[in-house]
Amino acid sequence: MKVTKFGGSSVADATQLKKVLAIIQADSERRFIIVSAPGKRNKNDIKVTDLLIDYAKAFLEKRDTRSFELAIIARFNEISEALNLSKALPEIAVYITNLKQTTLTSTPRIMDLFKSSGENCHAMLIAEFLTSQGTSAVYVNPKEAGLIVEDIPGDAIIKKESYQAIYNLRKLTKVAVIPGFFGYTDEGNICTFSRGGSDVTGAIISAGIKADIYENFTDVDAIYSANPGLIPNCHAIKELTFSEMRELSYSGFTVLHDEALMPAYQGNIPVVIKNTNNPDAPGTRISFKRSTKEESVVGIAGDSGFTSIYLSKYLMNRQIGFGYSVLKILKELNLQFEHIPSGIDDMTIIMRKNQLNEAIEEQLITRLRTELDLDELVVKHDISMIALVGEGMRNNIGVASRATSALSRNNINLEMISQGSSEVSILFAISDAKEKDAIKALYYEFFCLA
């Protein structure tokens, strides 16, 4: 029994949906289909979710919304006409038009209602399409499926008790088409997962029904060892562990939502990344262990937009509660850190730059400087974090040395280096301007040497 998720590019138009149909019909075990909203048909196109966000903003600002409504309905109409469908479209048109009739007043709830409708409407349409082509299918609303979530608009978390209700989906005799990206609170309000959350829905359903495998179809043949847009003929990864994929996703790989792995990990459900446009390609398998040789490094990821705050104080290590005081200031300012490497007399806070505006940054610096009585404080913006990932690093000597040497040869200065106790990744903080050069340097060091 398989759960199969199709991303936005896989369901962008009628041509893509015909490929989806062939994939579903090729394997009778594909009984649970998770779908995204229609994505881009070409590089200049607009995703339906982005249209819905614009629609919601216009509604909240009390501007005319008609152009957005028509554009969204037109996307679904184009698909319906191309596939000779007629049943779902009238309901979809009413659904989209009636969004502006909501009685909700909370901006986050309104945004979630609007954003979720792309997946919801598309699931209705795809269920009709499958049935019209001889595969008996049924649209299943996330509430009916049992996806009950914590009440956190825009960042929903599945409730543990939901899994028992989701297990009942196994009783369905038809192919279940379930919209991704959202669930319902106990009070019946829609809450979306964070952006890209259809991956999360697929993993939750997989864990809930105890699937044999979770297939995630996208527009690439596999997960690559680095950004294939930077590296010609980039090495494709056949197998990854959950830990490796989590590190890569968090550090910048966009193929799989970084939070999607947790339900699959907890349910011990293998995940396979495959290509809708080339379904016979083996893809990349993600599970607890790899059967392939334990290479020291399997992937290199980069992510920009960080700020580093360097703190120095003589005998910092002797001051009880120093770290607690730093974290307390961050908590009181509602700021989240990503990494805090430290030495005996210094500490560096790495955080997402988008959390800071001028006023918050000034307040943070003032509090750190005065409340901690620092000797030195240095703030640097426009930092990139480069992650070197591989469980094989635990058993291979000299990985960090090779990495730093490769960066040095390419005149890339390190702001920080950090390795977690799990030894699955090594992180390098560098200037944003050097991110691409750093990824190339590390890739050629670990994947192109004879």
Side-chain angles (χ1 to χ4, degrees), residues 6 9-10 16 19 23 216-222 224 272-284:
F6 293 96
S9 61
S10 298
Q16 290 300 101
K19 297 176 186 177
I23 290 167
N216 193 304
F217 277 84
T218 180
D219 55 4
V220 293
D221 281 351
Y224 295 91
V272 178
I273 306 299
K274 293 180 74 68
N275 190 350
T276 305
N277 303 310
N278 186 20
D280 293 330
T284 300

Side-chain angles (χ1 to χ4, degrees), residues 238-386:
K238 293 181 179 179
E239 290 184 286
L240 287 168
T241 66
F242 283 116
S243 295
E244 290 168 337
M245 189 67 241
R246 169 79 168 109
E247 294 280 351
L248 289 168
S249 294
Y250 171 78
S251 299
F253 275 29
T254 59
V255 174
L256 184 66
H257 192 288
D258 69 302
E259 294 177 13
L261 288 173
M262 188 52 66
Y265 171 85
Q266 291 172 333
N268 193 17
I269 312 295
V271 180
V272 178
I273 306 299
K274 293 180 74 68
N275 190 350
T276 305
N277 303 310
N278 186 20
D280 293 330
T284 300
R285 181 183 176 90
I286 307 163
S287 56
F288 275 104
K289 292 184 179 180
R290 287 191 275 122
S291 62
T292 54
K293 180 182 177 182
E294 291 257 333
E295 303 96 336
S296 59
V297 174
V298 296
I300 302 153
D303 197 9
S304 59
F306 291 90
T307 290
S308 73
I309 304 174
Y310 172 79
L311 314 177
S312 177
K313 184 177 182 179
Y314 185 60
L315 295 180
M316 178 189 293
N317 65 316
R318 300 287 297 275
Q319 184 174 329
I320 295 174
F322 186 90
Y324 170 80
S325 298
V326 172
L327 296 178
K328 182 172 180 287
I329 292 170
L330 294 177
K331 182 178 184 300
E332 290 174 356
L333 293 176
N334 198 31
L335 295 172
Q336 182 175 347
F337 72 90
E338 302 294 326
H339 312 282
I340 305 187
S342 64
I344 57 171
D345 291 329
D346 55 21
M347 173 185 294
T348 301
I349 304 168
I350 303 289
M351 64 173 59
R352 297 278 179 180
K353 182 181 177 182
N354 60 13
Q355 297 181 90
L356 301 171
N357 56 36
E358 188 175 338
I360 292 175
E361 182 175 335
E362 183 178 353
Q363 189 177 2
L364 172 62
I365 292 170
T366 299
R367 289 194 62 181
L368 289 171
R369 195 186 300 276
T370 57
E371 293 179 29
L372 303 177
D373 191 25
L374 298 172
D375 296 328
E376 185 180 7
L377 186 152
V378 179
V379 178
K380 291 187 178 181
H381 296 301
D382 301 320
I383 298 293
S384 283
M385 298 299 296
I386 308 297

Side-chain angles (χ1 to χ4, degrees), residues 387-421:
L388 199 65
V389 177
E391 291 198 359
M393 287 191 288
R394 295 171 180 153
N395 304 313
N396 284 271
I397 297 171
V399 174
S401 175
R402 287 176 62 187
T404 54
S405 294
L407 294 173
S408 176
R409 287 195 301 270
N410 286 270
N411 298 314
I412 298 168
N413 185 51
L414 292 178
E415 301 289 342
M416 180 212 76
I417 180 171
S418 175
Q419 183 172 30
S421 57

